[in-house]
Amino acid sequence: MEDITTNITNDNGDQQILKRTTSKVPIKLTIRYKTQTFPVDCDLFDTLKDLKEKIDKITDVDPQVQKLVNKSITSVKHDDITTTLKDLNITDGQTLLLVGATRSEILSTTQGNVNTSGNKDSVDDHTSSTNKKESLCKQTKHEKVLKAGKPDNVQVGIRNRHDPLPQSIDGLYMSMLNHSAKKARLTFKLELDELWINTAETTKKIPMTHIRNIVDEAIEGHEGYSIVGFQTGTTENSIIWLYWCPSQYVKSIRREILSDH
């Protein structure tokens, strides 16, 4: 066993020296991406950065957009540069779920958005600008739900705080399209890479890769709670709205689903 010294530059331009221990403990992991699986040969002391670079070569998913789903990885704060597979208790033979778009998919989406934007006329631009200025809480469809008050089983909401992602969130209202709001529970099935929204009548299972964007806004007068919208299509009609989400979880929700930091 030996130490390797690595120089890195931080955001301020200063050089930092990192010591990394190397070993001869080869392990093999399985990466599950969409409908495919890929074997990856690693070392127990490889960092997450090392692993993501190997995954990049076989999937064309940029390390910066890669999200690896595994109980050890998603439950602990980590730095890709310094955190090793050993630190995360990852062992030989484990399967990791990869979430993220390939470079070609990102390029295709970007080009599509540019073409769509080019077809909009000035009236559309004006309407969009007007809608952006109006807060969600003041829009009629949301105001109606909020006036009904909090669900009786709402969880405690805390403003200006960022808590880890819980397994589930109770005490929500859900609405989509023109349907009336229903009491709901939000459950994060990280091992399946799915978001489950449970109501008394049904369970809606949404693959996290189908969520294009997340819209959120603190509820006026109740800043410990937020409106959160999950957009699964290209139009506003595809947004699934959840009300009275405790604000302390919003950042974690965005990070897990969109890999926001």
Side-chain angles (χ1 to χ4, degrees):
M1 184 177 294
E2 61 179 348
D3 289 340
I4 292 178
T5 301
T6 303
N7 293 323
I8 65 170
T9 304
N10 62 20
D11 294 336
N12 296 322
D14 300 325
Q15 290 284 329
Q16 291 182 314
I17 298 176
L18 295 179
K19 283 189 176 181
R20 173 181 154 199
T21 302
T22 62
S23 71
K24 299 295 183 181
V25 186
I27 62 174
K28 179 169 288 188
L29 303 177
T30 298
I31 305 301
R32 182 159 62 90
Y33 181 55
K34 298 181 179 178
T35 60
Q36 297 178 289
T37 57
F38 303 93
V40 179
D41 293 318
C42 309
D43 187 274
L44 193 61
F45 283 88
D46 279 351
T47 64
L48 276 177
K49 180 176 181 292
D50 296 329
L51 176 59
K52 288 184 176 182
E53 287 175 349
K54 292 178 181 179
I55 293 172
D56 180 16
K57 292 178 181 179
I58 57 178
T59 63
D60 195 37
V61 179
D62 192 302
Q64 293 186 356
V65 301
Q66 286 181 28
K67 182 174 73 171
L68 293 171
V69 180
N70 171 277
K71 185 176 181 181
S72 299
I73 296 176
T74 54
S75 62
V76 178
K77 288 186 177 180
H78 56 264
D79 179 345
D80 287 3
I81 297 177
T82 59
T83 303
T84 66
L85 305 185
K86 183 177 184 299
D87 294 334
L88 296 171
N89 297 316
I90 292 176
T91 57
D92 184 45
Q94 282 193 326
T95 297
L96 307 181
L97 176 67
L98 171 65
V99 180
T102 64
R103 289 178 175 83
S104 59
E105 289 172 338
I106 292 174
L107 179 61
S108 176
T109 300
T110 302
Q111 291 175 338
N113 289 339
V114 170
N115 292 336
T116 301
S117 299
N119 292 331
K120 290 184 179 180
D121 56 27
S122 59
V123 175
D124 292 331
D125 291 338
H126 174 73
T127 302
S128 175
S129 176
T130 302
N131 289 338
K132 286 180 181 178
K133 293 179 181 179
E134 185 178 19
S135 71
L136 296 176
C137 296
K138 292 182 179 178
Q139 293 178 22
T140 303
K141 61 182 178 182
H142 302 305
E143 191 176 30
K144 183 178 179 180
V145 178
L146 296 176
K147 281 184 177 180
K150 302 175 189 175
D152 50 16
N153 61 334
V154 68
Q155 295 182 212
V156 176
I158 306 172
R159 63 183 299 183
N160 299 326
R161 185 166 129 180
H162 305 302
D163 285 353
L165 192 72
Q167 184 175 355
S168 62
I169 303 176
D170 287 303
L172 306 172
Y173 280 128
M174 178 198 77
S175 72
M176 51 189 298
L177 297 178
N178 296 319
H179 296 185
S180 58
K182 299 178 180 179
K183 288 185 178 181
R185 168 191 289 178
L186 184 63
T187 303
F188 303 94
K189 295 288 185 178
L190 298 181
E191 68 279 8
L192 301 175
D193 195 36
E194 291 181 344
L195 190 69
W196 289 15
I197 303 177
N198 309 85
T199 66
E201 295 83 11
T202 186
T203 297
K204 188 172 183 62
K205 301 178 181 180
I206 309 169
M208 291 188 187
T209 53
H210 289 186
I211 298 175
R212 294 168 172 255
N213 190 29
I214 296 177
V215 182
D216 66 89
E217 180 181 289
I219 298 175
E220 294 180 8
H222 303 274
E223 281 73 16
Y225 297 93
S226 297
I227 300 174
V228 179
F230 299 100
Q231 185 171 349
T232 58
T234 58
T235 67
E236 187 176 346
N237 286 339
S238 69
I239 300 179
I240 301 170
W241 295 101
L242 293 174
Y243 305 84
W244 304 106
C245 177
S247 296
Q248 67 268 25
Y249 298 132
V250 171
K251 188 171 183 178
S252 292
I253 292 172
R254 296 187 65 92
R255 182 175 62 246
E256 289 299 335
I257 297 177
L258 300 179
S259 298
D260 282 5
H261 298 287

